[in-house]
Amino acid sequence: MKIAIYGYGNIGRGVECAARQNPDMTLTGVYTRRDPAQVQTKTGVTVYPASEILKHKDEIDVLLICGGSATDLPELTPMLARDFNVVDSFDTHARIPEHFASVDAAARAGGHTALISGGWDPGLFSLARLYSNAILPQGSDYTFWGRGVSQGHSDAIRRIPGVLDARQYTVPIPEALEAVRSGASPVLTTRQKHRRECYVVAAQGADKAEIEKAIKTMPNYFDEYDTTVTFITMEEMKRDHSELPHGGFVIRSGPSGLEGEHRHTIEFRLTLDSNPEFTALTLVALARAVGKHAARGDWGCKTVFDLAPAELSPLSGEELRAHLL
Amino acid sequence: MKIAIYGYGNIGRGVECAARQNPDMTLTGVYTRRDPAQVQTKTGVTVYPASEILKHKDEIDVLLICGGSATDLPELTPMLARDFNVVDSFDTHARIPEHFASVDAAARAGGHTALISGGWDPGLFSLARLYSNAILPQGSDYTFWGRGVSQGHSDAIRRIPGVLDARQYTVPIPEALEAVRSGASPVLTTRQKHRRECYVVAAQGADKAEIEKAIKTMPNYFDEYDTTVTFITMEEMKRDHSELPHGGFVIRSGPSGLEGEHRHTIEFRLTLDSNPEFTALTLVALARAVGKHAARGDWGCKTVFDLAPAELSPLSGEELRAHLL
């Protein structure tokens, strides 16, 4: 299967690496809206101007669109789904129905298959929610994120005057996790589920007390959480906080038996050293499934909910039944 | 959807309870090879002789076959798949390809859809293995079982002379779990992964030292494990060991990045108060998917790998995307 990357940021670079772990995939190019001469890939794969992508249709079975959900993907995915089978990682949960509708219309019009929201949340976490809801119809759902870097919260801190750089870690609270795992179906407030750890480099002469107050009282981002703020040097930031780890937990618990006398807990957990590289590995596996749907003429927009698990694997049905079932 | 139960043991009773948690399901009957007059259901659903099931074809969209994997299911599932859409929980991993082939032939000949091996292992654990293998192609797989009752090991102890009753718990070893979760991909021996806890009621005058020795040296069942044997009274057995809890962990870890410089761990965990009731809840969700495949004429034998996740849910695609994605 020939795949290509549209947009060469953290996830694009992750797809470039992920393709090398999948021998049935060939990465045929990176397409960028920047000047290709300025883009240095990790593996030497050719960089083309995005404007010329239609000339390369024959070299692309599935195109992985690696852009931001705020402004890039709502525009790019419908545009490209008309001419290519595509995969994206659109992650603005509230706007998924709208994105689905526009991508679906474009893919059907062009006779292509698209998959949206194919990362880990939405994506693998959504699968955990769906399977566990189908099996425990009367249960309660919990999602915990972290320990991991939230880019949105880090950006919010960077916008405070006097802040040179910042990194925010979302941290699940162990007591809340244990209460959920016990099957007790606790009611938990925002503050009880997660805390927020902030590492901040302040400008020389900046009022650190003011910065700390500005962070801790910031509406929506921090005011409903227990937040710690630690001031560090730029050197410490580079040395200790240059990675993008993340992960989390999806847990559902619910009863069985005539009177609900037994309880069950289903837990799905991810511990990721690199959020963008893991997202990229997921997108590549989903691209394999999209290629299979496209090959049999099953056009339109899909989500992880619509793909049979076997379609994500390079193995045959016989191999899967013999070795993984 | 109209479902029925064939075989009324622990799992059959679990399906009877599970049906009540799924408002889109109607349980239309229990079919038994015993004398129906001797079978008392938990909810009052009608019990029919198994021999008359063909008279009730119109009352059964999907038949859940609740029998043992050793001798019942290899015979029953192919026989019934000719006339009904069926689901079973065949769990003899090594014989799945053979069972699949015979059920597939019968289902295709009769124009029906069958799903085999639909519990939690095989079943949900298999799904965890498949998704995590597709996403982390270069990783290592680990499965831990328990803490839970192993019926096979309990039965093996009961066959020792002087043993009146026995219950064996398989227990994962926390240090091994933590080593796997760390992403270190350790090589673990059988003894390092699980230990076995045995509770035994001995006959009056039986030689307890001999029984303990017979258990601990039993080939395949116990000799490769650290095993503890605790003698208890029949009253203690009934009071403390009458439930069938189980569960376990499927963990895969693997690298990403150009040089494998980042590691990721995917963990799926079940904690079950009642192994048969949870298995039954899973079978009912799978029956929903089988009904959808049958309704569109997609005949033959399936496994959990072949069913799109959305098909297990009673919700529409729109509802799933809006609320669970």
Side-chain angles (χ1 to χ4, degrees):
Chain A
M1 183 175 294
K2 291 173 283 185
I3 61 172
I5 296 167
Y6 192 104
Y8 194 68
N10 281 334
I11 295 178
R13 278 186 288 272
V15 170
E16 186 184 4
C17 298
R20 289 157 60 107
Q21 286 195 39
N22 289 277
D24 61 330
M25 301 272 177
T26 304
L27 177 63
T28 59
V30 167
Y31 295 83
T32 180
R33 289 168 292 174
R34 289 178 279 164
D35 174 5
Q38 305 297 316
V39 175
Q40 182 60 51
T41 60
K42 290 166 85 104
T43 63
V45 60
T46 310
V47 183
Y48 300 100
S51 57
E52 293 180 10
I53 193 167
L54 285 175
K55 293 186 196 161
H56 299 268
K57 278 186 85 160
D58 292 348
E59 296 155 36
I60 304 172
D61 293 324
V62 182
L63 179 65
L64 291 92
I65 310 176
C66 304
S69 295
T71 55
D72 286 353
L73 297 176
E75 180 199 324
L76 291 176
T77 310
M79 178 185 85
L80 292 162
R82 197 170 281 272
D83 295 299
F84 298 93
N85 304 308
V86 299
V87 172
D88 82 15
S89 60
F90 185 78
D91 67 359
T92 311
H93 289 261
R95 296 186 59 196
I96 286 173
E98 180 187 339
H99 189 54
F100 182 91
S102 69
V103 174
D104 191 52
R108 287 182 191 280
H112 286 97
T113 308
L115 180 125
I116 60 162
S117 301
W120 56 273
D121 193 7
L124 301 184
F125 273 19
S126 320
L127 285 171
R129 286 187 283 265
L130 172 48
Y131 280 114
S132 59
N133 271 267
I135 289 160
L136 297 176
Q138 297 176 331
S140 312
D141 281 317
Y142 299 86
T143 303
F144 291 86
W145 292 274
R147 185 175 191 262
V149 173
S150 164
Q151 308 262 32
H153 287 76
S154 300
D155 289 344
I157 298 172
R158 285 193 205 97
R159 287 193 291 267
I160 296 171
V163 170
L164 296 181
D165 199 4
R167 202 74 83 251
Q168 194 269 186
Y169 296 88
T170 306
V171 185
I173 294 177
E175 292 75 14
L177 257 176
E178 284 313 312
V180 167
R181 280 186 178 139
S182 76
S185 296
V187 175
L188 296 168
T189 63
T190 297
R191 191 178 302 274
Q192 286 172 318
K193 287 181 68 188
H194 297 93
R195 61 186 178 79
R196 299 199 177 275
E197 271 178 24
C198 311
Y199 296 87
V200 179
V201 181
Q204 194 138 28
D207 184 337
K208 292 180 176 174
E210 270 305 306
I211 292 173
E212 181 164 343
K213 191 180 154 201
I215 296 171
K216 290 185 171 176
T217 59
M218 198 185 296
N220 303 317
Y221 283 86
F222 294 100
D223 63 338
E224 290 177 44
Y225 298 85
D226 288 333
T227 300
T228 58
V229 177
T230 305
F231 288 94
I232 60 175
T233 65
M234 195 59 93
E235 290 65 40
E236 288 169 325
M237 179 64 76
K238 291 204 173 97
R239 187 190 68 206
D240 302 333
H241 303 283
S242 62
E243 299 282 353
L244 294 169
H246 219 313
F249 306 77
V250 173
I251 304 176
R252 184 171 174 88
S253 68
S256 72
L258 210 54
E259 311 289 341
E261 61 270 32
H262 294 123
R263 291 203 71 84
H264 309 281
T265 304
I266 302 174
E267 175 174 337
F268 180 74
R269 175 180 184 177
L270 294 175
T271 310
L272 313 177
D273 274 2
S274 165
N275 183 354
E277 288 180 4
F278 185 81
T279 298
L281 281 161
T282 306
L283 297 181
V284 169
L286 294 169
R288 184 179 288 118
V290 165
K292 293 176 186 174
H293 279 260
R296 62 175 191 259
D298 181 20
W299 312 138
C301 189
K302 316 285 174 190
T303 74
V304 290
F305 296 158
D306 306 309
L307 308 177
E311 297 171 332
L312 275 67
S313 173
L315 302 179
S316 70
E318 291 74 17
E319 290 170 314
L320 291 173
R321 287 190 293 275
H323 303 300
L324 290 180
L325 195 65
Chain B
M1 183 176 292
K2 291 175 283 186
I3 61 172
I5 295 166
Y6 191 104
Y8 194 69
N10 281 335
I11 294 179
R13 280 187 287 272
V15 171
E16 185 184 6
C17 297
R20 290 157 59 107
Q21 287 194 37
N22 288 277
D24 60 330
M25 302 271 178
T26 304
L27 177 63
T28 60
V30 166
Y31 296 84
T32 181
R33 288 167 295 172
R34 290 179 277 165
D35 174 4
Q38 305 296 316
V39 175
Q40 182 59 50
T41 59
K42 289 167 85 102
T43 63
V45 61
T46 310
V47 182
Y48 301 100
S51 57
E52 293 180 11
I53 193 167
L54 285 174
K55 294 186 196 162
H56 299 268
K57 278 186 83 159
D58 293 347
E59 295 154 36
I60 304 172
D61 292 323
V62 183
L63 179 65
L64 291 92
I65 311 176
C66 305
S69 296
T71 54
D72 286 352
L73 297 177
E75 181 200 323
L76 290 177
T77 309
M79 178 186 88
L80 292 162
R82 199 170 281 272
D83 295 299
F84 298 92
N85 304 308
V86 300
V87 172
D88 82 14
S89 60
F90 184 77
D91 66 359
T92 310
H93 289 261
R95 296 186 60 196
I96 286 174
E98 179 187 338
H99 189 54
F100 182 91
S102 69
V103 174
D104 191 54
R108 287 181 191 280
H112 287 97
T113 308
L115 180 126
I116 62 161
S117 303
W120 58 273
D121 193 6
L124 302 184
F125 273 19
S126 320
L127 284 171
R129 285 188 282 265
L130 171 47
Y131 279 115
S132 59
N133 272 266
I135 290 160
L136 296 176
Q138 298 178 331
S140 312
D141 281 317
Y142 298 87
T143 302
F144 292 86
W145 292 272
R147 186 178 192 259
V149 173
S150 164
Q151 307 262 32
H153 287 78
S154 300
D155 289 345
I157 300 172
R158 285 192 206 99
R159 288 192 291 267
I160 296 171
V163 171
L164 296 181
D165 198 3
R167 201 74 81 252
Q168 194 268 185
Y169 295 87
T170 307
V171 185
I173 295 179
E175 292 75 12
L177 257 177
E178 284 313 312
V180 167
R181 278 186 180 142
S182 75
S185 297
V187 176
L188 297 168
T189 64
T190 298
R191 190 179 303 274
Q192 285 172 318
K193 287 181 69 187
H194 296 94
R195 60 187 180 79
R196 300 198 176 277
E197 271 178 24
C198 310
Y199 296 87
V200 179
V201 181
Q204 195 137 27
D207 184 337
K208 291 181 178 175
E210 272 304 308
I211 292 174
E212 181 165 342
K213 191 179 153 203
I215 295 171
K216 290 185 171 177
T217 59
M218 196 184 296
N220 303 318
Y221 283 86
F222 293 101
D223 63 339
E224 291 177 41
Y225 298 85
D226 288 333
T227 300
T228 59
V229 177
T230 305
F231 289 95
I232 60 175
T233 65
M234 195 60 94
E235 291 66 39
E236 288 169 325
M237 180 64 78
K238 292 204 171 97
R239 186 191 67 203
D240 302 332
H241 302 282
S242 62
E243 299 282 352
L244 294 169
H246 221 311
F249 305 77
V250 174
I251 303 176
R252 184 171 174 86
S253 68
S256 72
L258 209 54
E259 311 289 342
E261 62 269 32
H262 294 123
R263 288 203 72 84
H264 308 281
T265 304
I266 302 175
E267 174 174 338
F268 180 73
R269 175 180 185 175
L270 294 175
T271 310
L272 313 176
D273 273 2
S274 165
N275 183 353
E277 289 180 5
F278 184 82
T279 298
L281 281 161
T282 305
L283 297 180
V284 170
L286 294 170
R288 184 180 289 119
V290 165
K292 293 176 187 175
H293 279 260
R296 60 175 191 260
D298 180 20
W299 312 138
C301 188
K302 316 284 175 190
T303 74
V304 289
F305 296 158
D306 306 308
L307 308 176
E311 297 171 334
L312 276 67
S313 172
L315 302 179
S316 70
E318 290 74 17
E319 290 169 315
L320 291 173
R321 288 191 293 275
H323 303 301
L324 290 179
L325 196 63

